[in-house]
Amino acid sequence: MAATTLRTSKTALGAYYRRISWRKGASVAVFATARKLAQLVYRLIRFGQAYVDEGAKAYETRFHPASLKLICKGP
């Protein structure tokens, strides 16, 4: 349930959900985001790591150059 609410979220996890959803579909994105969220919660509880959200804009700028390389590469 938590992963589906990230669809409209302005966080890095929300941007991750939208990127996966665009490439592979909503059902795959829900499972992928739920797994990523579960890993984050596990690390928070087990190791006491702090989670600081970088925001959707920072996440998208990190992945945008990589996506341009894939598009411009061509056959």
Side-chain angles (χ1 to χ4, degrees), residues 66-75:
S67 65
L68 283 179
K69 264 193 243 178
L70 289 174
I71 293 170
C72 295
K73 197 172 195 176

Side-chain angles (χ1 to χ4, degrees), residues 4-21:
T4 57
T5 61
L6 290 170
R7 181 174 45 136
T8 57
S9 173
K10 291 181 173 66
T11 62
L13 285 172
Y16 175 79
Y17 175 90
R18 289 186 292 276
R19 186 171 65 95
I20 299 297
S21 177

Side-chain angles (χ1 to χ4, degrees), residues 50-75:
Y51 175 70
V52 178
D53 185 47
E54 60 189 30
K57 185 153 307 259
Y59 180 84
E60 289 168 358
T61 57
R62 194 172 70 208
F63 279 98
H64 187 65
S67 65
L68 283 179
K69 264 193 243 178
L70 289 174
I71 293 170
C72 295
K73 197 172 195 176

